[in-house]
Amino acid sequence: MEQQDPTKKEGRLTLVLSLAMLIAAFGSSFQYGYNVAAVNSPDELMKAFYNETYFERNNNYINEFSLTLLWSVSVSMFPFGGFIGSLMVGPLVNKLGRKGTLLFNNIFSIVPAILMGCSEVARSFEMIILSRLLVGICAGLSSNVVPMYLGELAPKNLRGALGVVPQVFITVGILVAQIFGLRNLLANKEGWPILLGLTGIPAALQLLFLPFFPESPRYLLIQKKDEEAARNALKRLRGWDNVEWEMEEIQQEDEAEKAAGFISVLKLFSMRSLRWQVISIIILMGGQQLSGVNAIYYYADQIYLSAGVNNHDVQYVTVGTGAVNVLMTICAAFVVELLGRRFLLLLGFSVCFTACCVLTAALALQDTISWMPYVSIACVICYVVGHALGPSPIPALLITEIFLQSSRPSAFMVGGSVHWLSNFTVGLIFPFIQVGLGAYSFIIFAVICLLTTIYIFLVVPETKAKTFMEINQIFTKMNKVSEVHPEKEELKDFPLSTLGQ
């Protein structure tokens, strides 16, 4: 019994693991959040720049419709780039590794940062549109690769907390962009190109420091077949020398996978043993984006204005909302190992559903009841809290957990594509829904939140503190296929979600 203790001790947050996590998340996830929010504050200034540039070239101004369309294209190039980035995930992580892909990805940040920073001097709005596409590709890659990299570096007892870290940095990026986007800082005529160009700084820092940290041990052992490098990476990450039992667990996963080989996206959809995993990530990623989070942010300013917040102060209230978002996502990182993924998803989507229903009623009644606008503000804040607890951070973490090494890159491509296409669709369609349905547009989001909650309740199992093989075993039973590892008798009695019975 004495022998067992040192070999299977709980993983801890070592200095190497902490720094690898911070550099990966700050260099990549932070930028994703920053670029989501950076164009919101200076939008009027940028439209004016588009108009002036057009006038200098053609001696007349762009008509209202064309300007709106040009601006919509500039904004929606970002999620479209994200979709392209998601399609690149599989080939890149298999060829360059997780860390290698993150380093390569900095090209898609540093180049557009320079282009956006110089766009005004060059008198070219085309440079901004191209840059939005490139930073979108950067975000599409990083939103998939960072959770994969951190999930594979982390010991199983810290995988949930580390899996939420990318989302924490996305919300910090949004908040920093909102702060820099205050009118007396950078959202002014001279400052907006700097505001857009700052995105290159985290990328440059990542390029400098990430090479000193280990590649994913799972990638080194399973894909590269480099046992020595994998062992050394694990020793550095864990801070102790006896990593044999963890090497064994990775090898066990490798053995289980050998028969399958690398699983392409097409194969992913045709394999019965992965059926519920694939359906789950499509529903969770779709639910995350179609639940109205972007619409809430889009609508927030109008809700604050109608509640009597004056025009100049709205920007500060928006920053306050961003701060609540960061705070709640940090809370999620601390409680995810305590409460579990399933509970946080159910809680988050339920809160979002309730907030959407009450918000619809409050917006419909705000002209008749004097205190209703304050209810609207409360709903926006409750919605942000709910989304930050579950729907925002957990789906990407679950992709890392419910797929094994051979199918993980393809699963991230599918999840990422659903995420970005949903994001693109909401961005493009919501303004029209808003015109058509007004306050009642949130009913659509309420229905999506409700349906996603029901699906999670019925299907998604808890993955907290389980190895990748143990999680795979749960889904093996749900998919009603033969055991992957028949000799692992002790796993047969794992608790199952009701659907797997």
Side-chain angles (χ1 to χ4, degrees):
M1 206 57 201
E2 286 300 306
Q3 267 334 89
Q4 280 305 92
D5 258 347
T7 54
K8 284 218 171 185
K9 47 190 172 180
E10 290 276 84
R12 57 202 167 96
L13 197 58
T14 58
L15 184 64
V16 174
L17 182 57
S18 310
L19 290 174
M21 169 187 80
L22 288 172
I23 291 160
F26 176 66
S28 298
S29 307
F30 173 88
Q31 289 192 69
Y32 167 16
Y34 185 87
N35 285 306
V36 163
V39 293
N40 289 353
S41 310
D43 61 344
E44 293 305 321
L45 295 159
M46 289 171 74
K47 284 181 200 167
F49 165 67
Y50 283 22
N51 227 335
E52 285 162 25
T53 312
Y54 188 84
F55 183 79
E56 284 163 19
R57 295 177 196 171
N58 304 296
N59 241 2
N60 61 333
Y61 290 110
I62 315 178
N63 66 52
E64 192 61 39
F65 176 78
S66 303
L67 183 60
T68 307
L69 188 65
L70 204 53
W71 181 247
S72 291
V73 168
S74 309
V75 173
S76 51
M77 270 297 139
F78 181 71
F80 182 66
F83 172 61
I84 296 170
S86 294
L87 298 180
M88 294 161 66
V89 169
L92 284 176
V93 292
N94 289 323
K95 202 168 184 60
L96 304 175
R98 281 67 169 140
K99 182 178 94 170
T101 302
L102 288 177
L103 290 170
F104 170 75
N105 192 25
N106 289 314
I107 298 170
F108 296 112
S109 174
I110 292 169
V111 172
I114 295 165
L115 288 177
M116 287 192 285
C118 301
S119 58
E120 198 197 18
V121 180
R123 310 304 290 167
S124 166
F125 55 76
E126 293 84 354
M127 280 163 76
I128 295 174
I129 295 171
L130 173 65
S131 302
R132 291 287 293 169
L133 179 70
L134 294 174
V135 290
I137 293 173
C138 172
L141 274 165
S142 68
S143 63
N144 292 299
V145 180
V146 177
M148 193 189 303
Y149 180 55
L150 297 185
E152 292 180 10
L153 293 188
K156 69 174 183 181
N157 58 306
L158 293 175
R159 208 170 50 226
L162 260 67
V164 174
V165 165
Q167 188 61 36
V168 171
F169 274 86
I170 290 171
T171 60
V172 171
I174 292 172
L175 179 62
V176 169
Q178 287 170 338
I179 293 169
F180 285 165
L182 292 170
R183 278 165 230 159
N184 47 4
L185 286 177
L186 290 175
N188 48 52
K189 204 160 166 37
E190 298 73 41
W192 68 261
I194 302 166
L195 177 70
L196 298 183
L198 285 175
T199 184
I201 294 172
L205 290 171
Q206 189 183 72
L207 217 44
L208 277 176
F209 295 114
L210 194 62
F212 298 106
F213 291 88
E215 178 53 272
S216 153
R218 282 188 141 69
Y219 170 78
L220 292 170
L221 185 60
I222 295 178
Q223 259 121 323
K224 284 300 204 198
K225 308 285 179 237
D226 191 338
E227 211 169 302
E228 205 39 48
R231 189 173 282 111
N232 291 336
L234 274 175
K235 284 178 182 175
R236 282 187 67 197
L237 289 163
R238 300 294 174 261
W240 54 62
D241 286 338
N242 194 346
V243 292
E244 289 315 307
W245 68 275
E246 210 171 339
M247 287 287 286
E248 225 170 274
E249 190 236 310
I250 299 173
Q251 268 158 344
Q252 205 179 15
E253 187 183 326
D254 189 24
E255 286 301 314
E257 300 269 87
K258 273 200 177 122
F262 169 69
I263 294 171
S264 66
V265 171
L266 283 174
K267 202 169 169 190
L268 196 70
F269 280 101
S270 61
M271 287 179 72
R272 190 175 160 193
S273 60
L274 295 173
R275 183 178 301 160
W276 282 110
Q277 292 94 311
V278 174
I279 294 170
S280 296
I281 60 156
I282 289 172
I283 287 177
L284 287 174
M285 280 300 193
Q288 179 198 61
Q289 288 303 308
L290 300 174
S291 59
V293 63
N294 297 337
I296 285 275
Y297 277 115
Y298 187 97
Y299 224 98
D301 283 9
Q302 286 158 280
I303 290 170
Y304 298 144
L305 287 168
S306 66
V309 178
N310 78 49
N311 204 359
H312 184 263
D313 294 339
V314 162
Q315 52 178 347
Y316 299 110
V317 183
T318 306
V319 169
T321 314
V324 169
N325 197 2
V326 172
L327 208 62
M328 294 318 297
T329 311
I330 292 171
C331 285
F334 281 105
V335 299
V336 65
E337 290 301 351
L338 194 68
L339 300 174
R341 290 66 158 144
R342 181 181 149 88
F343 177 79
L344 286 180
L345 281 171
L346 287 170
L347 177 69
F349 275 111
S350 305
V351 170
C352 292
F353 164 69
T354 312
C356 282
C357 291
V358 179
L359 182 60
T360 305
L363 290 173
L365 296 171
Q366 72 178 13
D367 295 332
T368 49
I369 303 171
S370 61
W371 45 265
M372 268 301 160
Y374 302 105
V375 176
S376 304
I377 291 183
C379 287
V380 169
I381 292 165
C382 287
Y383 183 96
V384 168
V385 166
H387 214 274
L389 277 176
S392 283
I394 307 293
L397 159 64
L398 273 179
I399 301 179
T400 306
E401 294 192 324
I402 67 180
F403 289 90
L404 295 180
Q405 195 78 11
S406 62
S407 51
R408 198 173 290 134
S410 295
F412 266 103
M413 285 168 74
V414 172
S417 302
V418 172
H419 169 105
W420 289 103
L421 281 176
S422 306
N423 190 325
F424 181 69
T425 308
V426 172
L428 222 54
I429 292 174
F430 180 70
F432 298 103
I433 294 176
Q434 191 195 357
V435 170
L437 294 176
Y440 297 101
S441 48
F442 287 101
I443 291 284
I444 298 171
F445 303 124
V447 170
I448 291 168
C449 290
L450 180 64
L451 294 175
T452 313
T453 310
I454 293 167
Y455 179 85
I456 294 162
F457 183 75
L458 293 176
V459 179
V460 178
E462 185 50 77
T463 56
K464 174 177 80 165
K466 293 182 173 69
T467 66
F468 291 134
M469 281 305 299
E470 288 165 350
I471 295 163
N472 187 257
Q473 209 74 24
I474 294 174
F475 276 101
T476 296
K477 290 183 180 177
M478 284 173 68
N479 290 314
K480 296 186 169 55
V481 288
S482 60
E483 301 285 311
V484 180
H485 256 325
E487 69 273 17
K488 297 282 284 176
E489 288 296 321
E490 73 273 18
L491 293 181
K492 283 195 174 160
D493 299 316
F494 254 86
L496 262 191
S497 99
T498 47
L499 197 106
Q501 303 302 335

